[in-house]
Amino acid sequence: MRSLANFILFQIGWFVAVLYPGQQAALAGLAIVAAHLVFISGFAQREFRFILMATVLGSVLDVFHQNMGVLSFPGYEGAFASGMIPAWLIMLWAVFATAVNHCLYWMRHY
């Protein structure tokens, strides 16, 4: 049942990021991660560390890709113009990390 709940939250996070990229998606992603840690995770502290690590590594990779010209975010100005990625993309990495130990657990051997 926890895997199903995780899958549903994961899909909500992706759809919100696609349909409403911006601060709404970042806040929704933060709420999804919090709900995951409170209601789904059996080992919240350990999983929080994993989510934090995956979010940082994924964000660093996306910043690298943006600086190399692989990723671009037209319409975003300010900090995004100087090599930072949008907050919704950072939270998307966090939402993805919540799925690794639950609905994507079947891939652990790959």
Side-chain angles (χ1 to χ4, degrees), residues 62 79-80 104:
D62 280 349
F80 305 113
L104 295 176

Side-chain angles (χ1 to χ4, degrees), residues 10-52:
F10 177 66
Q11 292 301 317
I12 290 170
W14 277 98
F15 281 118
V16 168
V18 169
L19 297 175
Y20 307 103
Q23 296 303 324
Q24 300 91 345
L27 292 174
L30 187 60
I32 287 169
V33 170
H36 172 83
L37 291 172
V38 171
F39 298 112
I40 296 172
S41 178
F43 303 97
Q45 287 182 340
R46 185 172 66 182
E47 196 156 5
F48 175 75
R49 287 191 303 267
F50 174 77
I51 292 168
L52 186 62

Side-chain angles (χ1 to χ4, degrees), residues 10 13-15 17-18 25-26 29 55 87-97:
F10 177 66
W14 277 98
F15 281 118
V18 169
T55 302
W88 62 266
L89 186 55
I90 295 169
M91 288 311 300
L92 200 54
W93 277 107
V95 169
F96 171 72

